[in-house]
Amino acid sequence: MTRVRGIAWYTVLIGISVVFIAPLVWMLLTSLKTTSEATAIPPAWLPAEPTTRAYGALFAGDTQTPVLRWFLNSMVAATGQAILVLVVASMAAYALARMSFRGKNVIFAVIVGTLFVPGFVMLIPNFLMVDRLGWLDSVWALIIPGAASAFGVFFLRQFFSALPRELEEAALIEGANAWQIFTKVILPLSRPALATLTVIAFLTNWNDFIWPVYVLFSPEKLTLPPGLATLQGAYTTDYPVIMAGAALASIPVLILFVVCQRYIIEGVSRSGLKG
């Protein structure tokens, strides 16, 4: 019975894996097809004559479609915002989780309450703020507005609260101050949560489409999501080129997940220290 249950479980896992992997494989194979093959009915999985024409067209973009520049802009924006989210959220979460001050619970409730506010509501206020600061059509418009992550504060606060307070008490006995406890005790023990939040913050910025369209006007300042959308013509669509662009956009995400996979699984599965 146990063997049958194990076979059934692995069958389900393999089926789920196929569901998630199949679109990636289709994307990669389509990027190696000709335009006629990509639009053929019925569609074929394998290209009859594999070609890298789509990648050549992608990297040979003119001043209106500088794909490599879009890729660099996305990397700078996503990396910069992920770092700022970690800094801001970790310090706010530490104060809310480990310090005692008046109004702490009210502040935390307000922060959590903002998670229920639709993101579109903040488009105009954020646009006006960026405009006043003179950051329109610049990478700062992509990094700064999302640096204060309510989800990041909530997520890290829950993780910090689960850490044993005996660790802080021992550090206080050794003469450590609050900053030293935060940087030398709390943060090293919170690597799984920090890695998980890094991936979430990076992906949120990397995949953002609406906000860059609002604040970026020059073709060379665009990021990959809105930039790749411009590759679609008014009357025809070169699907291999679009799929090649999507494959390019997925590379940093896959690398980041592979590097942080162990920490992500640990950060989601546990809320404190291992016994």
Side-chain angles (χ1 to χ4, degrees):
M1 184 65 182
T2 304
R3 184 176 181 181
V4 173
R5 186 180 302 173
I7 293 175
W9 179 245
Y10 278 108
T11 301
V12 172
L13 291 179
I14 292 173
I16 295 174
S17 300
V18 170
V19 170
F20 282 95
I21 293 175
L24 296 176
V25 176
W26 178 263
M27 173 186 68
L28 182 60
L29 292 177
T30 302
S31 69
L32 298 175
K33 296 179 181 178
T34 61
T35 304
S36 59
E37 283 184 308
T39 57
I41 301 296
W45 271 87
L46 297 176
E49 299 179 359
T51 175
T52 58
R53 178 199 64 85
Y55 292 94
L58 195 69
F59 294 126
D62 54 22
T63 56
Q64 296 300 314
T65 58
V67 177
L68 292 180
R69 180 64 182 269
W70 296 341
F71 182 86
L72 179 60
N73 293 341
S74 289
M75 285 295 298
V76 171
T79 303
Q81 187 172 97
I83 293 173
L84 282 181
V85 166
L86 285 181
V87 173
V88 175
S90 62
M91 290 193 292
Y94 177 71
L96 293 170
R98 315 299 283 194
M99 295 182 177
S100 298
F101 54 90
R102 183 177 299 178
K104 179 176 71 172
N105 293 332
V106 175
I107 294 174
F108 181 65
V110 171
I111 292 175
V112 173
T114 61
L115 293 174
F116 298 94
V117 178
F120 284 98
V121 175
M122 304 304 296
L123 278 178
I124 293 178
N126 283 337
F127 181 88
L128 294 176
M129 177 186 69
V130 170
D131 184 29
R132 294 285 182 87
L133 293 172
W135 290 345
L136 288 178
D137 203 27
S138 72
V139 70
W140 298 111
L142 305 177
I143 296 176
I144 303 300
S149 170
F151 172 79
V153 175
F154 168 77
F155 180 73
L156 291 182
R157 188 258 186 188
Q158 299 304 104
F159 194 94
F160 291 167
S161 297
L163 296 176
R165 290 193 174 273
E166 289 80 3
L167 297 171
E168 287 179 273
E169 295 172 358
L172 286 172
I173 293 175
E174 294 295 328
N177 55 35
W179 178 253
Q180 290 172 326
I181 293 174
F182 171 63
T183 56
K184 299 183 182 299
V185 178
I186 299 298
L187 290 184
L189 292 174
S190 304
R191 288 175 183 172
L194 295 175
T196 303
L197 183 59
T198 299
V199 173
I200 294 174
F202 185 92
L203 290 181
T204 299
N205 187 284
W206 183 266
N207 294 325
D208 194 8
F209 178 85
I210 298 297
W211 180 244
V213 169
Y214 267 78
V215 298
L216 301 177
F217 314 121
S218 305
E220 70 275 5
K221 298 293 182 65
L222 292 176
T223 54
L224 271 177
L228 293 177
T230 64
L231 297 178
Q232 182 172 343
Y235 304 102
T236 60
T237 301
D238 194 336
Y239 290 104
V241 173
I242 293 178
M243 290 301 177
L248 176 67
S250 66
I251 291 175
V253 176
L254 294 175
I255 293 176
L256 183 63
F257 180 78
V258 170
V259 172
C260 300
Q261 180 182 11
R262 179 170 64 89
Y263 293 108
I264 294 172
I265 296 174
E266 189 177 353
V268 173
S269 63
R270 74 184 183 93
S271 59
L273 293 175
K274 293 181 180 180

